[in-house]
Amino acid sequence: MALKTLSPSQSDIEQEAARLSDKGLGGLGYRDEELERAAALTWRINRLKMEKKAVIPAHVYQRPEILLGVADMIGDSYRLAKLGAASDAEIIVFCGVRFMAETAKILSPDKTVLLPAPEAGCSLSESITAADVRALKKKHPGAPVAVYINTSVAVKAECDVVVTSANAPKIMRRLYETHDKVIFAPDAMMGANLAKELGKTIGKDLIVWNGTCIVHDNFDAASVEFYRKMYPGVKILAHFECTPALTSVVDYIGGTGDMMKWVDDHKAPSYMLITECGLGDLARTKFPDKAFVPMCRLCPHMKAVTLERVLSALEKPSAAQTIEVPPSVAARALKPIERMFELAEDRAAA
Ligand code: 13P
Ligand code: SF4
């Protein structure tokens, strides 16, 4: 049934602005005019979403007005892959980057998957090609290939298992049960962190690629000592994609989902989340009684998604916003993604 109008009245906007403020945007410092600007868009997006039977998964690095205003599911890469596949919506408007929307399309080939910012890539995904993976396999015959979910469909199609920051150590451990040598690509920093955690030697029993995340690669390990002096008792958490120099001096290392859980499970005078800024914004709204020391960087790819672009994708998606994956590559990429679900959830032998 078509909704009567898609133009909010001034009173609709005021009500929606109050809802957004209560959801947490007020606490994040949005002023009245910013709330009303966002409200005029979220009001329309939420109505169109119902009308078109669409669902909006949003990665935790998205803008707060997307996370708190229009998202139906929020999470890390693993959670979004699982939840998106389980949804019975006809359209998925993926608020995230290309590899996430492509994963959603592979898992739900019959759904329309839209990426509001079609140019939203990822430095890790762009660091490696399918030909590079084939060359690695040729150089290290018999070694299973685990690739980070931050990769293209063509790269996934060449690998044995996909991993995310939420399950990489577990899945890599499983692979080492049956193999002496494993290939991990493309994040060199995550590879080094995994080598340390699993007691493996890079170049010998762990072969890594040389990709990095432009956001996490740039945090400075030296500043940790300074912040510890400035904020006594602060607990410092860093994402798996940070450099080993940094991860060796923090209190916890993990993916975004695990970082949020760690904060939830611990009592500390303050917390510092060394990752993309979106996680800190979300943490401040989810844990209003906890103190967060700012330390973050923006991901230009994640922040390319705006409410305006979400609305345009829902109203009239362009060809560029519509994700298509050739079925033959999708079928090959699906296998290692399913393997990830099986190994992460202990449903299969290594
Ligand atoms: P997770 O949220 O899965 O930890 O991934 C971080 C990331 O960089 C996604 O782009
Ligand atoms: Fe890629 Fe890094 Fe941005 Fe995540 S934060 S999308 S890994 S560039």
Side-chain angles (χ1 to χ4, degrees):
M1 184 185 65
L3 294 176
K4 236 178 27 226
T5 171
L6 277 173
S7 291
S9 65
Q10 185 53 33
S11 114
D12 290 330
I13 291 178
E14 281 164 17
Q15 269 181 40
E16 176 67 354
R19 183 187 75 86
L20 294 179
S21 183
D22 291 349
K23 288 277 281 185
L25 293 187
L28 289 177
Y30 275 60
R31 289 167 308 189
D32 286 350
E33 59 270 31
E34 289 162 347
L35 286 168
E36 291 203 5
R37 182 220 14 108
L41 294 159
T42 56
W43 188 95
R44 291 172 70 192
I45 291 168
N46 286 326
R47 270 155 190 78
L48 264 178
K49 208 168 66 174
M50 275 200 290
E51 190 177 330
K52 298 204 165 182
K53 296 192 177 61
V55 71
I56 302 187
H59 186 263
V60 289
Y61 294 163
Q62 291 291 293
R63 294 165 189 271
E65 58 204 53
I66 289 177
L67 293 175
L68 302 172
V70 297
D72 298 296
M73 37 186 104
I74 297 174
D76 62 11
S77 313
Y78 186 73
R79 182 175 153 83
L80 293 181
K82 278 216 79 174
L83 291 180
S87 139
D88 55 9
E90 290 169 12
I91 300 173
I92 297 177
V93 184
F94 212 110
C95 290
V97 294
R98 178 161 290 274
F99 75 81
M100 296 178 171
E102 285 178 346
T103 304
K105 183 68 183 174
I106 294 167
L107 289 165
S108 305
D110 298 333
K111 291 180 183 151
T112 298
V113 177
L114 304 172
L115 180 61
E119 80 284 14
C122 167
S123 62
L124 283 171
S125 181
E126 276 127 41
S127 73
I128 190 163
T129 65
D132 294 328
V133 181
R134 285 195 293 272
L136 279 171
K137 289 198 284 194
K138 207 167 165 198
K139 201 167 166 203
H140 305 279
V145 183
V147 304
Y148 199 24
I149 197 164
N150 300 38
T151 43
S152 66
V153 184
V155 163
K156 288 186 179 78
E158 294 292 338
C159 79
D160 296 294
V161 60
V162 168
V163 302
T164 77
S165 61
N167 53 42
K170 179 174 183 175
I171 292 180
M172 295 292 284
R173 258 189 208 102
R174 296 294 308 274
L175 296 178
Y176 279 114
E177 285 171 10
T178 45
H179 295 84
D180 294 331
K181 194 200 274 184
V182 177
I183 298 168
F184 175 77
D187 189 350
M189 299 306 139
M190 193 162 171
N193 289 319
L194 283 168
K196 197 169 163 207
E197 183 163 342
L198 305 176
K200 302 294 174 189
T201 306
I202 291 186
K204 185 176 151 264
D205 32 28
L206 180 61
I207 307 302
V208 294
W209 190 243
N210 60 3
T212 55
C213 160
I214 48 165
V215 174
H216 293 93
D217 190 25
N218 276 309
F219 290 108
D220 174 22
S223 57
V224 166
E225 200 184 326
F226 166 81
Y227 280 105
R228 286 204 192 277
K229 278 197 192 115
M230 199 158 155
Y231 298 96
V234 63
K235 291 293 177 198
I236 303 183
L237 292 75
H239 195 275
F240 248 128
E241 294 165 10
C242 292
T243 63
L246 177 65
T247 57
S248 61
V249 291
V250 301
D251 300 297
Y252 180 75
I253 152 171
T256 55
D258 290 320
M259 288 167 85
M260 288 290 265
K261 187 170 178 327
W262 200 94
V263 169
D264 199 11
D265 290 346
H266 289 76
K267 256 195 164 78
S270 58
Y271 305 83
M272 179 186 281
L273 305 177
I274 305 185
T275 186
E276 209 275 347
C277 303
L279 195 73
D281 290 336
L282 191 64
R284 284 195 284 147
T285 57
K286 201 166 176 238
F287 307 113
D289 301 330
K290 298 194 182 221
F292 293 92
V293 175
M295 160 63 103
C296 67
R297 281 174 186 273
L298 293 169
C299 171
H301 304 292
M302 287 285 182
K303 267 26 185 199
V305 184
T306 59
L307 285 174
E308 285 83 354
R309 297 181 95 179
V310 175
L311 181 61
S312 83
L314 264 169
E315 272 177 340
K316 200 170 184 298
S318 67
Q321 286 173 319
T322 309
I323 297 290
E324 299 293 354
V325 179
S328 59
V329 202
R332 288 174 58 216
L334 177 62
K335 283 192 193 142
I337 297 173
E338 283 178 338
R339 186 102 183 110
M340 167 180 73
F341 290 134
E342 289 164 8
L343 289 178
E345 288 162 30
D346 298 315
R347 285 193 264 119

